[in-house]
Amino acid sequence: MKKADVKELILEAKKAKGLGWEEIASKIGMSPVWTTSVCFGMNSAPKDKADMLVALFDLPPEASAVIQECPMKIWDQAVPTDPAIYRLYEIVGVYGETIKEIIHEKFGDGIMSAIDYEMYIERKEDPKGDRVVITLDGKFLKYRAW
Amino acid sequence: MKKADVKELILEAKKAKGLGWEEIASKIGMSPVWTTSVCFGMNSAPKDKADMLVALFDLPPEASAVIQECPMKIWDQAVPTDPAIYRLYEIVGVYGETIKEIIHEKFGDGIMSAIDYEMYIERKEDPKGDRVVITLDGKFLKYRAW
Amino acid sequence: MKKADVKELILEAKKAKGLGWEEIASKIGMSPVWTTSVCFGMNSAPKDKADMLVALFDLPPEASAVIQECPMKIWDQAVPTDPAIYRLYEIVGVYGETIKEIIHEKFGDGIMSAIDYEMYIERKEDPKGDRVVITLDGKFLKYRAW
Amino acid sequence: MKKADVKELILEAKKAKGLGWEEIASKIGMSPVWTTSVCFGMNSAPKDKADMLVALFDLPPEASAVIQECPMKIWDQAVPTDPAIYRLYEIVGVYGETIKEIIHEKFGDGIMSAIDYEMYIERKEDPKGDRVVITLDGKFLKYRAW
Amino acid sequence: MKKADVKELILEAKKAKGLGWEEIASKIGMSPVWTTSVCFGMNSAPKDKADMLVALFDLPPEASAVIQECPMKIWDQAVPTDPAIYRLYEIVGVYGETIKEIIHEKFGDGIMSAIDYEMYIERKEDPKGDRVVITLDGKFLKYRAW
Amino acid sequence: MKKADVKELILEAKKAKGLGWEEIASKIGMSPVWTTSVCFGMNSAPKDKADMLVALFDLPPEASAVIQECPMKIWDQAVPTDPAIYRLYEIVGVYGETIKEIIHEKFGDGIMSAIDYEMYIERKEDPKGDRVVITLDGKFLKYRAW
Amino acid sequence: MKKADVKELILEAKKAKGLGWEEIASKIGMSPVWTTSVCFGMNSAPKDKADMLVALFDLPPEASAVIQECPMKIWDQAVPTDPAIYRLYEIVGVYGETIKEIIHEKFGDGIMSAIDYEMYIERKEDPKGDRVVITLDGKFLKYRAW
Amino acid sequence: MKKADVKELILEAKKAKGLGWEEIASKIGMSPVWTTSVCFGMNSAPKDKADMLVALFDLPPEASAVIQECPMKIWDQAVPTDPAIYRLYEIVGVYGETIKEIIHEKFGDGIMSAIDYEMYIERKEDPKGDRVVITLDGKFLKYRAW
Amino acid sequence: MKKADVKELILEAKKAKGLGWEEIASKIGMSPVWTTSVCFGMNSAPKDKADMLVALFDLPPEASAVIQECPMKIWDQAVPTDPAIYRLYEIVGVYGETIKEIIHEKFGDGIMSAIDYEMYIERKEDPKGDRVVITLDGKFLKYRAW
Amino acid sequence: MKKADVKELILEAKKAKGLGWEEIASKIGMSPVWTTSVCFGMNSAPKDKADMLVALFDLPPEASAVIQECPMKIWDQAVPTDPAIYRLYEIVGVYGETIKEIIHEKFGDGIMSAIDYEMYIERKEDPKGDRVVITLDGKFLKYRAW
C-alpha cells in the first residue's frame, strides 16, 4: 500500500460519506490545508492524526503507517498547466523578485521557509465578486555566515 | 528609455536617498508590493502615481510615460534558482493540488485571478523566530458555460 | 470512474448512435465547443446538463457526478505536434505580441480572460475554398492597483 | 537596417505623432491586426503599403525594402509568460483537441491554415464587463491523398 | 480498437503474407509513402481505400472506420534519435534557412504546405553507391494580407 | 572575419547588385541550394569557388579563406518556429517513421547520408496553385557488421 | 515478439549458460561490441548470424526474424545519467570541438561515419591501474559540393 | 585576458604562421589532441608547456598564466548540432549501454575515467575510403564499498 | 527479478522486522549510506555482502545475484523536486563554483571522484536545533596531460 | 557596480597580491568556503567583513555596499557541465534518495537546511592518492503540522 492508494481510498470514502475538507479537518483538529495535503500524500501525519483519519474513513489498519511515512514529494509538471494552479505559478513569476526584495528589506538576507510553514485559504465576500484569500506563513531563515 | 532603464534609475535614487519600499509606497499612497512591482517594471501605474514616482526619485520627465506603459511580463527561469523565490515555487508544487481542491470546495469550478489581484507581505513576531506572512487576495473567476 | 473513462464511453456511444457534436450540443441546449470540451473532460458541467448527457448516451448513473467534477486540466505537449493544433500554437507565437498590443490599445492594461470565456467555430463558404472561423470571446480583466 | 530597427523607429514615431493602431491601419487601408504585425516585423507588406508606412512615420527610405522582406518568424518562449499572451496559449492547451474535433466534423481531415489567414480583434460592450472578441479566419486545407 | 492496434495487425499480416509496401500500395492504387503512412496511423484514408486495406490484410471489419478516422499526429521526440530519421532532422537544421530563402526568391512570401502535400522515395543506381532520392512536393501557400 | 560577417557582406552586395540566387549559382557553376548554403555559412567551398564568390561580390580578399573554412554548423532552435522551416520539421515528424521503413525495404539496414548529399528546389506550375518541389538526394550508407 | 523481448530472453539464457560476451562473439565469428549491440537490440544481424544466436541461446525460432529487423534506435535520456555512460558524453562535450578540428586538418571538410563504423573495447594493463581502451573506427565522409 | 581571448590569438597566429596541430603538438612535445584542447581552452597546461605555446605563437606574456588556469568546462548544447560532433553523441546513444556492459564484464563495477584520460585520432588508409580512428584511453575506476 | 523488485522486498522485510538502516549496516559490517544505496539499487555489493543481505531479509536466493549486478544508475528528474533532495541540488548550484575553486587551490587541476567515493551522514546535537552533517570523501583525480 | 564587477576586481587583486583563499579567509576571520562564495557574489557579507575585503583588495569604497547586498542567486545550467561540479550533481542523483531516507531515520520528517548552513573542504592525505573531504552542515528543519 502506497500513499497514492490511500489517497484513492480517502477520496472514495469522502464522496460516499458526503464530507467536506473543512469538516474532516475539524474532526481531526487540524487545519484544512494541512489535512488535505496529508490526504493527497504530500505531507506526513503524526500517529494520532493518522489513526483518526483511518477511523474517520474506515481505512484498512495498515493505512495508518502509510499516512505517517515521509512522502517523496514529486510533481511532474515544471510549469503546471491547470489554470487554477498555473495562476499561482504566474504570481511567483510576476511577483517573485518583488517578494524577495521586500523580505530582504524587512528581515535582511534570508528566506521564508517552506518547511516550517503554514497555509490558510479563505473566502472573502465582496459585492463585486467574492475573493480567494490565501495566506502563506513561514519562518524567516537567515543565511548563516561561518 | 525602457522599463529596465527606469528600474536602474529608481534603484540608484532609492539608495542615494536612503528610502525603503514601505516609505516609498506610503508617499504615493499605494501598497508596498504593488509599488515595488511597478518600480521593477512588472506592473503599470496610472498617470498620477507615475508622476509621483518621477517626482520622488527626480527621474527624467519621459520616465512617467514609461512607467504607465503596459509591461511585457517575461521571466527567464521556468524554475527559479534563487532560494527566496524557489521556496515559493516549491509551495506551488507541493500545495498546488491542495489549493485547487479547497478553492473548488469553497467556490465551485473556477480559479483565483492573478490579474484582479492584491498581495501583502508582513513580519509576524514569534519567540521561536519571526515569520514571513504573505497574503494572496484574488477575485474568484467562475468558468463560464455557454 | 474518471473523466477519461467517461470520454471513452461517450465516444463509443456517439459513434454507435451516429450523432454529431452540433446535434449533441443542441439536444442539451448548449454550444458545440463547450459540449465537446465537457465530453472530452476539459470542462465541468452543471448537474442538469450532466444528467442530460448521461441520458443521451445511456451512461451509467455515476457518470453524472464525474461530469460535474472540476477537471485537472493537463496537456502533455508544451508544443503540440498535431498539425491542426500546432497551427493555433503558431498563431499565438506569430500574433501574440500583436494581440497584446491591440488589447492594451482598446482596453488599457489587462488581459482577455480564458475562464469567463466562450468560443465558437463556424464554416464560412468561400469560392476559393471554404474557411474555418473561430471566435474567441473572453471578458476583459483589468490589472488591479492596490 | 533590420526589421527590429524599423519596429523601434515606428514605435517612437507612433508615440510622437499620437497615432493609434486603428488609425494607422485605416490610413494604409488595411486591418489593424495585419498592420500591427507588419510594424512588429512578423509579416511582410507589399511595396505600396510599405511605402505608405514609410511616409506616414517619416522613416528613412531604405525602410521600405526592409518592410517588404520576408521575415524570419522567431519567438523565444515555447511557453509565453506574459499573462495576456499566456491566456491564448492556455486556450490552445485546454480547447486544442476540441477545436480539432469540430474542424474534422465540419470539414473532414485537414486543418485551418495559419498562412491564408486573417484575424480581427473587437471590443464588445457588456454590462457585466466589456469583452475581448478575437476572430480567427483561415482557409481550410484538406490532407491530400496520393 | 485504435490506430495503434490496426498498425500492429497490419504489420503482422504483412509479414505473414510476405508483402512489400510497394506491392501493397499498387494493390490499392495509391503511392507507397501515403499507403505506409496510413498503415502507420499518421494519415486517414477514404472509405474505399480503407476497405481495400481491410480486405487485403483480412482485418476485422471495424478496422475500416478506424483507418478512416482523422489521426492525432503525435511524435514524442522533439529531436529524433534514430539515425535514419535524425539525418532528415539534420537536413532541416543545416538547410532550413537556405530552403526558406529559395522558396521566397521563387514564390514570394509564403511556405510549402505540409498538408496539400505528396512525397516519393526512389532508389537511384550509382556506381559509387546507390542513392536515396526523396521528393517533397507541396502546394505553395502565400501569406494573406488583409 | 567570421562566416557571419561574410554572410552579411554577401547579402548587402547581392541586394546592391540586384542578383538572385539562381543567377549567382550559375555564375560560379554550382547549384542554387549549395551556393546559398555556402553564402549563409553552412557549407565550405573549395578555393576556386570561394574566389569566384569574392570576385562576384567584391568581398575583401581574406573572405576567401573564411568561405573555405569548415563551418561549425549550429542551429539554436531544436524545434524551428518560422512557418516555412517548421513545415519541414513537421514532415520529419509525421513521415519520419514511414521514410525509415521504405528506405529499409528498398535498401536494407542503413540510412540516407546527409553529408554525401545534394538538394534541389523547383517551382512546378499547377492550375490549382503552383507547387514547391524539393528533392533530397543522399548516398545510401549501409550499417557495417564487424 | 519485439527486440526488447529477445534481449530479455538472451540475458536470461546468457546467465543460465554462464557465457561472457567475448565468448558469445567468438562463437558467432563477430566482434564483442557488435554482438552485444545486436543482442541489446541496437543493431540488426544478417540471417546467418541471427540463426547462430537463436541456436546458441535456444531462442524460439521466430526470434531470428526479430534479430534481423532494422531497429528503431531510441534512447530516452538526452543527457545520460549512468556514470559509465555519462563519462562518454562528457568526453564528447569536452573534446568534441577538438576532434572536429583534427578531423578537418587530417581529412578536409567532412565527418567520421557512425554507420560505416566499428568499435573495440580492450583492457590495457598498467601498474598504476589498468586502463579501458575504446577504439572508434568510422569511414571518413566528405561533404559533397553540387 | 580569458581563455577565449587566448584561443582567438592562437587561431590567428596559427593561420598566419601556417602551422598545423600535429606540428604544434610536436614542437611542445605533447600529443595533438591534448595540445588542441589546451589551445581551445578546455584543458590547462603546466607552466613549461604554456610558456612554449606563448613563445611559439608570440602571445603576450600574461597569456601563459591564462593557459595554466583550470578551465570552467562549459558546453552550451546538451545535444550538439554540428554533424561531425553529433555523430560522436549518436555513438554514445547507440552504443552506450553496450560499452557499459563490456566494461563491467572485463573490469567489474566501475567506469572509464574521463580525467585520467588520453585520446588519439589517426587516419587509416583504406581502398574503400580512408577511415578516422579515434582511441579513448582512460583509467578504470572501481566503485568503492565502505 | 530486477533491482527494483529486490528494493520492494527489502523495504517490506525491513518494516516487518523493525530494523533501522544503521542496524542493518552494522550487521553486514558496512556503512549505513553504502548499505542503503545498495538496497535501493544504486550500488552493487560483493558476493559476501549480498548473501548477508539475502539472509538478513529472508530474500529468495536469486536475489543475491541481482544485488551483485552493476546497476544502471538512472534518475528521472534533472532537477529533483522533493525538498530534502532539492536542498542538496541547490547547494551544488550555489556553492559549485566555490567548491571547484577551492579544490583547484588545494590540489591543482582535477576533480573529486564520485566513484572512489565514501559518504557519511551524522546527527550533531545543537541547543539551537540539531544539525545534519554530511561528509563527502572522494579521491582527488588529476587531469592527465599526454 | 554589481556583484559581477566586484568579483572581477577581487580576482585580479588576488592574483596581483598572490593571495590564496585560505589566507584571505583567515585575514577576515571567516571560513574559506564562505569567504570565496561572498567574493564570487553568491552570499552577502555583514558590513565589517565587507569593509575588511575592500581594504584587503584595495577595492573602491562603494564595493562594500555591493558586497553587503542580498544576491540574486542564479545558475544557468540546470545540469552543470564542468566535471568538477558535475560530480557533485551526480552524487545528488545517485545518493539523493539514500540521504533523504537516512535523514528521515535519524530526525523524522524534515530536511537539512541550505540556508542555516556551513560547508568545509579539506585535503586528506592518503598513500593511494589524497582525498577531497567536503563537509555539509545544515540545521535540521522539521515539517510543521498545523
Side-chain angles (χ1 to χ4, degrees):
Chain A
M1 189 179 279
K2 314 229 163 192
K3 284 189 182 276
D5 304 315
V6 174
K7 178 184 175 184
E8 284 294 304
L9 291 174
I10 287 177
L11 287 177
E12 280 168 32
K14 173 176 175 288
K15 195 187 291 187
K17 290 174 188 286
L19 291 166
W21 292 110
E22 296 236 353
E23 197 176 353
I24 295 163
S26 88
K27 278 182 193 291
I28 68 167
M30 301 298 290
S31 70
V33 171
W34 182 85
T35 304
T36 307
S37 76
V38 165
C39 293
F40 277 21
M42 286 302 248
N43 261 322
S44 64
K47 185 168 186 316
D48 58 333
K49 302 301 178 188
D51 288 344
M52 290 167 83
L53 286 168
V54 168
L56 179 60
F57 292 120
D58 303 322
L59 301 177
E62 65 267 34
S64 177
V66 176
I67 295 172
Q68 297 172 53
E69 276 171 15
C70 304
M72 178 64 78
K73 295 177 178 178
I74 287 178
W75 53 95
D76 291 333
Q77 296 187 297
V79 178
T81 57
D82 184 85
I85 305 177
Y86 180 82
R87 296 304 180 274
L88 300 166
Y89 172 81
E90 188 174 287
I91 287 166
V92 175
V94 173
Y95 293 100
E97 198 182 352
T98 290
I99 297 171
K100 175 181 166 71
E101 179 82 4
I102 291 182
I103 289 175
H104 292 333
E105 176 168 307
K106 284 187 188 289
F107 294 86
D109 201 358
I111 67 164
M112 179 185 75
S113 179
I115 308 296
D116 188 336
Y117 174 77
E118 300 183 357
M119 181 183 254
Y120 300 90
I121 303 171
E122 297 302 330
R123 181 178 186 130
K124 187 170 75 173
E125 301 208 348
D126 187 312
K128 291 186 193 151
D130 287 1
R131 299 180 72 81
V132 184
V133 179
I134 305 177
T135 308
L136 287 56
D137 173 338
K139 188 178 180 184
F140 176 71
L141 301 181
K142 189 175 157 50
Y143 277 105
R144 187 182 185 102
W146 73 96
Chain B
M1 188 180 281
K2 314 227 164 195
K3 283 190 182 277
D5 304 315
V6 174
K7 178 184 176 186
E8 283 295 302
L9 291 174
I10 287 177
L11 287 177
E12 279 169 32
K14 173 176 175 288
K15 196 189 287 189
K17 291 175 188 284
L19 291 165
W21 292 109
E22 296 236 353
E23 196 177 356
I24 295 164
S26 87
K27 278 181 193 294
I28 69 166
M30 301 299 289
S31 71
V33 171
W34 183 85
T35 305
T36 307
S37 75
V38 166
C39 293
F40 277 20
M42 286 302 248
N43 261 322
S44 65
K47 185 168 186 316
D48 57 334
K49 302 302 175 185
D51 287 344
M52 289 167 84
L53 286 169
V54 167
L56 179 61
F57 293 120
D58 303 323
L59 302 177
E62 65 267 34
S64 178
V66 177
I67 295 172
Q68 297 172 52
E69 278 171 13
C70 304
M72 179 63 78
K73 296 177 177 180
I74 287 178
W75 52 95
D76 292 333
Q77 295 187 299
V79 178
T81 57
D82 185 85
I85 304 177
Y86 181 83
R87 296 306 180 275
L88 301 166
Y89 173 82
E90 188 175 285
I91 287 166
V92 176
V94 173
Y95 294 100
E97 198 183 353
T98 289
I99 297 171
K100 174 181 166 71
E101 178 81 4
I102 292 182
I103 289 176
H104 293 332
E105 176 167 304
K106 283 186 188 290
F107 294 86
D109 201 358
I111 66 164
M112 178 184 75
S113 179
I115 307 297
D116 188 336
Y117 174 78
E118 300 185 356
M119 180 183 255
Y120 300 90
I121 302 170
E122 296 302 329
R123 180 176 189 133
K124 187 170 77 172
E125 301 209 348
D126 188 313
K128 291 186 193 151
D130 286 2
R131 299 180 73 80
V132 183
V133 179
I134 304 177
T135 308
L136 288 56
D137 173 338
K139 189 179 180 184
F140 175 72
L141 301 180
K142 189 174 157 48
Y143 276 106
R144 186 182 186 103
W146 73 97
Chain C
M1 188 179 279
K2 314 228 164 193
K3 285 190 181 275
D5 304 315
V6 174
K7 178 184 176 186
E8 284 294 305
L9 292 173
I10 288 177
L11 287 177
E12 281 169 31
K14 172 177 176 288
K15 198 189 287 188
K17 292 174 187 284
L19 291 166
W21 292 111
E22 295 235 353
E23 198 176 353
I24 296 164
S26 86
K27 279 182 193 293
I28 68 166
M30 301 298 290
S31 71
V33 171
W34 182 85
T35 305
T36 307
S37 75
V38 166
C39 293
F40 277 20
M42 286 302 248
N43 261 321
S44 64
K47 185 166 186 318
D48 58 333
K49 302 301 177 186
D51 287 344
M52 290 166 83
L53 286 168
V54 168
L56 179 60
F57 293 120
D58 303 322
L59 302 177
E62 65 266 36
S64 177
V66 176
I67 294 172
Q68 297 172 52
E69 277 171 14
C70 304
M72 178 64 78
K73 296 178 178 178
I74 287 179
W75 53 94
D76 291 332
Q77 296 187 298
V79 178
T81 57
D82 185 85
I85 304 177
Y86 181 82
R87 296 307 180 274
L88 300 166
Y89 172 82
E90 188 175 287
I91 287 167
V92 176
V94 172
Y95 293 100
E97 198 182 351
T98 289
I99 297 170
K100 174 181 167 70
E101 178 81 3
I102 291 182
I103 289 175
H104 293 332
E105 177 168 305
K106 283 186 188 291
F107 294 85
D109 201 358
I111 67 164
M112 178 185 75
S113 180
I115 308 297
D116 188 335
Y117 174 78
E118 300 184 357
M119 180 183 255
Y120 300 91
I121 302 171
E122 297 302 330
R123 180 178 188 132
K124 187 170 74 173
E125 301 208 349
D126 187 312
K128 291 185 192 151
D130 286 2
R131 300 180 71 81
V132 184
V133 178
I134 305 177
T135 309
L136 288 56
D137 173 339
K139 189 178 180 185
F140 176 70
L141 301 180
K142 189 174 156 50
Y143 276 106
R144 187 181 184 103
W146 73 96
Chain D
M1 187 180 280
K2 314 227 163 194
K3 284 189 182 276
D5 304 314
V6 174
K7 178 184 177 186
E8 283 295 303
L9 291 174
I10 287 177
L11 287 177
E12 280 169 33
K14 173 177 175 287
K15 196 188 290 188
K17 291 172 188 286
L19 292 166
W21 292 110
E22 296 236 353
E23 197 176 355
I24 296 164
S26 87
K27 278 181 194 293
I28 68 166
M30 300 299 291
S31 71
V33 171
W34 183 84
T35 304
T36 307
S37 75
V38 165
C39 292
F40 277 20
M42 285 302 248
N43 261 322
S44 64
K47 186 167 185 317
D48 57 334
K49 302 302 176 185
D51 288 345
M52 290 167 82
L53 287 168
V54 166
L56 179 61
F57 293 120
D58 303 322
L59 301 177
E62 64 266 36
S64 177
V66 176
I67 294 172
Q68 297 172 53
E69 277 171 14
C70 304
M72 178 64 78
K73 295 178 178 178
I74 287 178
W75 52 95
D76 292 332
Q77 296 187 297
V79 179
T81 57
D82 185 85
I85 305 177
Y86 181 83
R87 295 306 180 274
L88 300 167
Y89 173 82
E90 188 175 285
I91 287 166
V92 175
V94 173
Y95 295 100
E97 199 182 352
T98 289
I99 298 170
K100 174 181 167 71
E101 178 81 4
I102 292 182
I103 289 176
H104 293 333
E105 176 168 305
K106 284 187 189 289
F107 295 85
D109 201 358
I111 67 165
M112 179 185 74
S113 179
I115 307 297
D116 188 336
Y117 174 78
E118 299 184 356
M119 180 182 255
Y120 299 91
I121 303 171
E122 297 303 330
R123 181 177 187 130
K124 188 171 74 174
E125 301 208 349
D126 188 313
K128 291 185 193 153
D130 287 1
R131 300 180 71 81
V132 184
V133 178
I134 305 177
T135 308
L136 288 56
D137 173 337
K139 189 178 179 184
F140 175 71
L141 301 180
K142 189 174 156 49
Y143 277 105
R144 187 183 187 102
W146 73 96
Chain E
M1 188 179 280
K2 313 230 163 189
K3 284 189 182 276
D5 305 315
V6 174
K7 179 185 176 185
E8 283 295 303
L9 291 174
I10 287 178
L11 287 178
E12 280 169 32
K14 172 176 176 288
K15 197 189 286 187
K17 292 174 188 284
L19 291 166
W21 293 109
E22 296 234 354
E23 199 176 353
I24 296 163
S26 87
K27 278 181 193 294
I28 68 166
M30 300 299 290
S31 71
V33 171
W34 182 84
T35 305
T36 307
S37 75
V38 166
C39 293
F40 278 21
M42 287 300 249
N43 262 320
S44 65
K47 184 167 187 316
D48 58 334
K49 301 302 176 185
D51 288 344
M52 289 166 84
L53 286 169
V54 167
L56 178 61
F57 293 120
D58 303 322
L59 301 177
E62 65 267 35
S64 177
V66 177
I67 295 172
Q68 296 171 52
E69 276 170 14
C70 304
M72 180 62 78
K73 296 179 177 179
I74 287 179
W75 52 95
D76 292 332
Q77 296 187 298
V79 178
T81 57
D82 185 85
I85 304 176
Y86 181 82
R87 294 308 179 274
L88 300 167
Y89 172 82
E90 187 175 287
I91 287 167
V92 176
V94 173
Y95 294 100
E97 198 183 351
T98 290
I99 297 171
K100 175 181 166 71
E101 178 82 4
I102 292 182
I103 289 175
H104 293 332
E105 176 167 306
K106 284 185 189 291
F107 294 85
D109 202 357
I111 66 162
M112 178 185 75
S113 179
I115 308 298
D116 188 336
Y117 174 78
E118 301 183 357
M119 181 183 255
Y120 300 91
I121 303 171
E122 297 302 329
R123 180 176 188 134
K124 187 170 76 173
E125 300 208 350
D126 187 311
K128 292 185 192 153
D130 287 1
R131 298 180 73 80
V132 183
V133 178
I134 305 177
T135 308
L136 288 55
D137 173 337
K139 189 177 179 185
F140 176 70
L141 301 179
K142 189 174 158 49
Y143 276 105
R144 187 182 185 103
W146 73 96
Chain F
M1 188 180 279
K2 314 228 163 191
K3 283 188 183 278
D5 305 315
V6 173
K7 179 184 176 185
E8 283 294 303
L9 292 174
I10 287 177
L11 287 177
E12 281 169 32
K14 173 177 175 289
K15 195 187 288 186
K17 292 172 188 283
L19 291 166
W21 291 111
E22 296 235 354
E23 197 176 354
I24 295 164
S26 87
K27 278 181 193 293
I28 68 165
M30 301 298 291
S31 71
V33 172
W34 183 84
T35 304
T36 307
S37 75
V38 164
C39 292
F40 277 21
M42 286 301 248
N43 262 321
S44 64
K47 185 166 186 316
D48 57 333
K49 302 302 177 185
D51 288 345
M52 289 166 82
L53 286 168
V54 167
L56 179 61
F57 293 120
D58 302 324
L59 303 177
E62 65 268 33
S64 177
V66 177
I67 295 172
Q68 297 172 51
E69 275 170 16
C70 304
M72 179 63 79
K73 295 177 178 179
I74 287 178
W75 53 95
D76 291 333
Q77 296 186 299
V79 179
T81 57
D82 185 84
I85 304 177
Y86 180 82
R87 295 306 180 274
L88 300 167
Y89 172 83
E90 188 176 284
I91 287 167
V92 176
V94 173
Y95 294 100
E97 197 182 352
T98 290
I99 298 170
K100 174 182 166 71
E101 178 82 2
I102 292 183
I103 289 176
H104 293 332
E105 176 167 306
K106 284 186 189 289
F107 295 85
D109 201 358
I111 67 164
M112 179 184 74
S113 179
I115 308 297
D116 188 336
Y117 174 79
E118 299 184 357
M119 180 182 255
Y120 299 91
I121 303 171
E122 298 302 328
R123 179 175 188 134
K124 188 171 74 172
E125 301 207 348
D126 187 313
K128 291 185 193 154
D130 287 1
R131 299 180 72 81
V132 183
V133 179
I134 305 178
T135 309
L136 288 55
D137 173 338
K139 190 179 179 184
F140 175 70
L141 301 180
K142 190 176 157 47
Y143 276 106
R144 187 182 186 104
W146 73 96
Chain G
M1 188 179 279
K2 313 229 165 191
K3 283 188 182 276
D5 304 314
V6 174
K7 179 184 175 185
E8 282 295 303
L9 291 174
I10 287 177
L11 286 177
E12 280 169 33
K14 174 177 175 286
K15 197 189 287 189
K17 292 174 187 283
L19 291 166
W21 292 110
E22 296 235 352
E23 198 176 353
I24 296 163
S26 87
K27 278 181 195 292
I28 68 166
M30 300 299 289
S31 71
V33 171
W34 183 85
T35 304
T36 306
S37 75
V38 165
C39 293
F40 277 20
M42 286 300 248
N43 261 321
S44 65
K47 185 167 187 315
D48 57 334
K49 302 302 177 186
D51 288 344
M52 289 166 83
L53 286 169
V54 168
L56 179 61
F57 292 121
D58 302 323
L59 302 176
E62 64 267 34
S64 177
V66 177
I67 294 172
Q68 296 172 53
E69 276 171 13
C70 304
M72 180 63 78
K73 296 178 178 179
I74 287 179
W75 53 96
D76 291 333
Q77 296 187 298
V79 178
T81 57
D82 184 86
I85 304 177
Y86 180 82
R87 295 307 179 273
L88 300 167
Y89 173 82
E90 187 175 286
I91 287 167
V92 175
V94 173
Y95 294 100
E97 198 183 352
T98 290
I99 297 170
K100 175 182 166 71
E101 178 83 4
I102 292 181
I103 289 175
H104 292 333
E105 177 168 306
K106 283 185 190 290
F107 294 85
D109 201 357
I111 67 162
M112 179 184 75
S113 179
I115 307 297
D116 188 337
Y117 174 77
E118 300 183 356
M119 181 182 255
Y120 300 91
I121 303 171
E122 298 301 330
R123 182 178 187 131
K124 187 170 77 173
E125 301 207 349
D126 187 313
K128 291 185 193 153
D130 287 2
R131 299 179 73 81
V132 183
V133 179
I134 305 177
T135 308
L136 288 56
D137 173 337
K139 189 178 179 184
F140 176 71
L141 301 180
K142 188 173 158 48
Y143 276 106
R144 187 181 185 104
W146 72 97
Chain H
M1 189 180 279
K2 313 230 163 190
K3 282 188 183 278
D5 305 315
V6 173
K7 179 184 176 185
E8 283 294 304
L9 291 174
I10 287 177
L11 286 177
E12 281 169 31
K14 173 176 175 289
K15 194 188 289 189
K17 292 173 187 285
L19 291 166
W21 292 110
E22 295 235 354
E23 197 176 353
I24 295 163
S26 86
K27 278 181 193 294
I28 69 165
M30 301 299 290
S31 71
V33 172
W34 182 84
T35 303
T36 307
S37 75
V38 165
C39 292
F40 277 21
M42 285 302 248
N43 261 320
S44 65
K47 185 167 187 314
D48 57 333
K49 303 302 178 185
D51 288 345
M52 290 165 84
L53 287 169
V54 168
L56 179 60
F57 293 119
D58 303 323
L59 303 176
E62 65 268 33
S64 177
V66 176
I67 295 172
Q68 296 172 51
E69 276 171 13
C70 303
M72 179 62 78
K73 295 176 178 180
I74 288 178
W75 53 94
D76 292 331
Q77 295 187 298
V79 178
T81 57
D82 184 85
I85 304 177
Y86 180 81
R87 295 306 179 274
L88 300 167
Y89 172 81
E90 187 175 285
I91 287 167
V92 175
V94 173
Y95 294 100
E97 198 183 351
T98 290
I99 297 171
K100 174 181 166 70
E101 178 82 2
I102 292 183
I103 289 175
H104 292 333
E105 175 167 306
K106 283 185 189 290
F107 295 86
D109 201 358
I111 67 163
M112 179 185 74
S113 179
I115 308 296
D116 188 336
Y117 174 78
E118 299 184 357
M119 180 182 255
Y120 300 90
I121 303 171
E122 297 302 330
R123 181 176 187 133
K124 187 169 75 172
E125 301 207 349
D126 187 312
K128 291 184 194 154
D130 287 2
R131 299 180 71 82
V132 183
V133 179
I134 305 178
T135 309
L136 288 55
D137 173 338
K139 189 179 180 183
F140 176 71
L141 301 180
K142 189 176 158 48
Y143 276 105
R144 187 181 186 104
W146 73 96
Chain I
M1 188 180 280
K2 314 229 164 192
K3 283 188 183 278
D5 305 314
V6 174
K7 179 184 175 184
E8 282 295 303
L9 291 174
I10 286 177
L11 286 178
E12 281 169 32
K14 173 176 174 288
K15 196 188 288 188
K17 291 174 188 283
L19 291 166
W21 292 110
E22 296 236 352
E23 197 176 353
I24 295 163
S26 87
K27 278 182 194 293
I28 68 166
M30 300 298 290
S31 71
V33 172
W34 183 84
T35 304
T36 306
S37 75
V38 165
C39 293
F40 277 20
M42 286 300 248
N43 261 321
S44 64
K47 185 168 186 314
D48 58 333
K49 302 303 177 186
D51 287 345
M52 289 166 82
L53 286 169
V54 168
L56 180 60
F57 292 120
D58 303 323
L59 302 176
E62 65 268 34
S64 178
V66 177
I67 295 171
Q68 296 171 53
E69 276 171 14
C70 304
M72 179 64 77
K73 296 177 178 179
I74 287 178
W75 52 96
D76 291 333
Q77 295 186 298
V79 178
T81 56
D82 185 86
I85 305 177
Y86 181 82
R87 296 306 180 273
L88 300 166
Y89 172 82
E90 188 175 286
I91 287 167
V92 175
V94 173
Y95 293 101
E97 197 182 352
T98 290
I99 297 171
K100 174 182 166 71
E101 178 82 3
I102 292 182
I103 289 175
H104 292 333
E105 176 168 306
K106 283 186 188 290
F107 294 86
D109 201 357
I111 67 164
M112 179 185 74
S113 179
I115 307 297
D116 188 337
Y117 174 77
E118 299 183 356
M119 181 184 255
Y120 300 90
I121 302 171
E122 297 302 328
R123 181 177 187 131
K124 188 170 75 173
E125 301 208 347
D126 187 313
K128 291 186 194 152
D130 287 2
R131 299 179 73 81
V132 183
V133 179
I134 305 177
T135 308
L136 288 56
D137 173 338
K139 189 178 179 184
F140 176 72
L141 301 180
K142 190 175 157 47
Y143 277 107
R144 187 181 185 104
W146 71 97
Chain J
M1 188 180 279
K2 314 231 163 190
K3 284 191 182 274
D5 304 316
V6 173
K7 179 185 176 185
E8 282 294 303
L9 291 174
I10 287 177
L11 286 177
E12 279 169 31
K14 173 176 174 288
K15 195 189 287 188
K17 293 175 187 283
L19 290 167
W21 292 110
E22 296 236 353
E23 197 176 353
I24 295 163
S26 87
K27 277 181 193 295
I28 69 165
M30 301 299 289
S31 71
V33 171
W34 183 85
T35 304
T36 306
S37 76
V38 165
C39 293
F40 277 21
M42 285 301 248
N43 261 322
S44 65
K47 183 166 188 315
D48 57 333
K49 302 302 176 184
D51 288 345
M52 288 166 83
L53 286 169
V54 167
L56 179 60
F57 292 119
D58 303 324
L59 302 176
E62 64 268 33
S64 177
V66 177
I67 295 172
Q68 296 171 52
E69 277 171 13
C70 304
M72 180 62 78
K73 295 176 178 180
I74 288 179
W75 53 95
D76 292 332
Q77 296 187 298
V79 177
T81 57
D82 185 86
I85 303 177
Y86 181 82
R87 296 306 179 274
L88 300 166
Y89 173 82
E90 187 176 286
I91 287 166
V92 175
V94 173
Y95 294 100
E97 198 182 351
T98 290
I99 297 170
K100 174 180 166 71
E101 177 83 3
I102 292 182
I103 289 175
H104 292 332
E105 176 168 305
K106 283 185 189 291
F107 294 86
D109 201 357
I111 67 163
M112 179 184 75
S113 178
I115 308 298
D116 188 336
Y117 174 78
E118 300 184 357
M119 181 183 255
Y120 300 91
I121 302 170
E122 297 302 329
R123 181 177 187 133
K124 187 170 77 173
E125 301 208 348
D126 187 312
K128 292 186 192 150
D130 287 2
R131 299 181 72 80
V132 183
V133 179
I134 305 177
T135 308
L136 288 55
D137 173 339
K139 189 178 179 183
F140 176 71
L141 301 180
K142 189 174 157 49
Y143 276 105
R144 187 182 185 102
W146 73 97

